[in-house]
Amino acid sequence: MPDPGKAFTQKLTDLVPEFERALDQVSSLKDLEDLRVKYLGRKGLLAAKLASLPTLPPKDRPLAGKTANQIKSELQGLFLKRRSSLEGARADATLARFDPAMPGRTPNLGSLHPVTLVTEEICSVFRGLGFEIVTGPEVETDFYNFEALNIPPEHPARDMQDTLFITDSVVLRTHTSSLQIRTMQKRKPPVAAVAPGKVYRRDSDLTHTPMFHQIEGFLVDRDASMAELRGTLTSFLQQTFGPDTKVRFRPSFFPFTEPSAEVDISCMMCKGKGTVKGKTCRVCKQTGWVEILGCGMIDPEVFKAVGYDPDAYSGFAFGLGVERVAMLKYGIGDLRMFFENDVRFLRQFA
Ligand code: 2NL
């Protein structure tokens, strides 16, 4: 006599070896998922067999139900085991393709522009000497760019040839001195500051660009002296170009300083000898010296313009071109290098 309970559990139990054989055939996670749906899914083989449970005689149902749950968790266990072995195989395959001896791909790193590098280096030397760093507008009024610097309306430095005008009385700053005037107006002596930044001139040829970079510095105190100016600049120049650098002052003229001087340093290319391997040094043209900056004692007229008492205070100031310092420091022969932004040039400063 047929036993419906036994027949039911037998059909369920038969699913196990059948599922195992099918799992053995599966070689990808995608196929495995299809198999899971086929056997364990909501409309799968297991669910279909369970659907006949309510048709069993009530006395057979508890055992049949218990068996059904056991089979279900057995099938799930087999599925999970197969899945983790397939996942492991996939990870192994990925690792097998990875060659730890292969050189890595170098990311393209940016680098600071040599003008930025030199500006930061010079500023940090002056910071060490007690100067603060100030910045300000590139578009200036006539007062800050000229008038306060003792450059009167008919002075040749204002010539249309040199200045880029926005309006009759507004200009692109031609030097960063305008920043120093602003700093003096805001502060009472003693004050010492350096002003780095872009400046603009109506000039463009092999050795001049319409925009270039300057650093100017000044110090005002009760009794600032030319000796202090000389000491400050010598320290700066030896920190920047090497401790053996020789420094000399030559008399010169600037509208905003009196007396004024130009400063030369011994040539860093030929060490002041004037020749390199018996040939004329291309940097100093055999003189052994290169001009590096201009300086002087601040003219009393400048003090009057910013409201400092010229009888109570004295001060010194100096200015230099950043591109020029960078060319001398790195042996760069052509000003245009700084503006072409050829990465083969720029990369050398990384
Ligand atoms: C040069 C010469 C110089 C100054 C800049 C200055 C600024 C103030 C007052 C007085 Cl607020 N002077 N600046 C002084 C002497 C020379 O620059 O050849 N620069 C590239």
Side-chain angles (χ1 to χ4, degrees):
M1 168 182 153
D3 178 340
K6 255 208 179 113
F8 180 83
T9 52
Q10 187 58 53
K11 275 196 279 177
L12 283 175
T13 313
D14 286 346
L15 276 180
V16 176
E18 189 189 324
F19 189 53
E20 273 182 314
R21 274 194 302 278
L23 282 176
D24 281 343
Q25 304 295 314
V26 159
S27 60
S28 73
L29 286 163
K30 165 83 181 65
D31 292 349
L32 179 69
E33 176 58 15
D34 292 346
L35 204 61
R36 185 193 67 76
V37 171
K38 182 178 169 191
Y39 279 82
L40 291 159
R42 215 158 34 81
K43 293 177 184 164
L45 292 173
L46 182 66
K49 300 218 151 88
L50 288 178
S52 62
L53 186 69
T55 67
L56 292 180
K59 69 166 178 51
D60 289 333
R61 286 182 208 167
L63 182 66
K66 198 177 155 207
T67 311
N69 280 332
Q70 277 170 356
I71 299 296
K72 185 176 181 181
S73 61
E74 202 170 326
L75 294 185
Q76 259 158 354
L78 288 168
F79 161 76
L80 289 173
K81 202 171 138 216
R82 186 71 183 122
R83 189 174 67 178
S84 63
S85 103
L86 279 177
E87 280 172 346
R90 187 170 63 171
D92 287 349
T94 309
L95 265 181
R97 263 186 284 121
F98 174 70
D99 178 359
M102 200 161 80
R105 272 178 238 155
T106 321
N108 279 319
L109 286 186
S111 57
L112 293 177
H113 192 281
V115 167
T116 306
L117 286 174
V118 169
T119 302
E120 286 186 355
E121 186 182 335
I122 292 174
C123 286
S124 94
V125 169
F126 279 107
R127 215 178 277 119
L129 292 169
F131 288 72
E132 59 188 288
I133 316 296
V134 294
T135 54
E138 292 174 23
V139 177
E140 273 293 7
T141 60
D142 182 276
F143 175 81
Y144 287 107
N145 199 74
F146 295 124
E147 197 74 44
L149 285 155
N150 195 31
I151 306 173
E154 296 310 317
H155 195 279
R158 287 193 177 207
D159 203 308
M160 294 292 285
Q161 300 296 313
D162 299 324
T163 307
L164 290 157
F165 287 87
I166 304 288
T167 70
D168 279 352
S169 59
V170 178
V171 302
L172 291 180
R173 70 182 179 199
T174 58
H175 39 214
T176 56
S177 320
S178 48
L179 259 172
Q180 300 176 275
I181 298 294
R182 288 176 177 278
T183 307
M184 287 190 213
Q185 278 183 333
K186 272 189 274 187
R187 304 278 306 275
K188 276 186 147 50
V191 52
V194 284
K198 291 178 165 62
V199 299
Y200 301 84
R201 305 248 176 114
R202 206 183 141 194
D203 210 349
S204 185
D205 58 36
L206 261 187
T207 53
H208 298 88
T209 46
M211 183 281 288
F212 60 102
H213 299 78
Q214 255 197 347
I215 297 178
E216 289 204 20
F218 78 97
L219 177 147
V220 180
D221 204 348
R222 292 253 171 237
D223 45 19
S225 69
M226 195 104 186
E228 269 182 288
L229 169 61
R230 193 183 163 99
T232 302
L233 291 181
T234 302
S235 172
F236 154 62
L237 291 167
Q238 289 181 342
Q239 286 183 67
T240 306
F241 288 99
D244 298 328
T245 306
K246 289 193 222 10
V247 179
R248 77 177 183 188
F249 281 54
R250 281 181 289 109
S252 185
F253 172 81
F254 300 106
F256 25 79
T257 47
E258 182 62 33
S260 303
E262 269 166 326
V263 178
D264 298 338
I265 54 175
S266 49
C267 180
M268 65 296 300
M269 185 62 99
C270 63
K271 303 263 176 293
K273 290 195 291 284
T275 54
V276 182
K277 291 178 191 148
K279 289 205 184 103
T280 304
C281 176
R282 71 171 169 87
V283 172
C284 66
K285 310 268 160 23
Q286 202 147 3
T287 61
W289 296 93
V290 289
E291 187 183 319
I292 195 76
L293 52 81
C295 65
M297 301 307 292
I298 298 172
D299 195 291
E301 291 300 319
V302 174
F303 285 155
K304 285 187 209 161
V306 298
Y308 286 1
D309 177 0
D311 297 321
Y313 297 112
S314 60
F316 61 74
F318 51 89
L320 57 82
V322 179
E323 281 84 355
R324 182 168 169 74
V325 174
M327 286 173 86
L328 291 170
K329 204 176 149 67
Y330 296 116
I332 298 162
D334 189 337
L335 179 67
R336 291 169 299 183
M337 295 284 199
F338 294 116
F339 299 95
E340 282 169 353
N341 288 329
D342 185 328
V343 290
R344 291 168 299 180
F345 170 71
L346 296 175
R347 255 205 290 268
Q348 298 178 74
F349 303 91

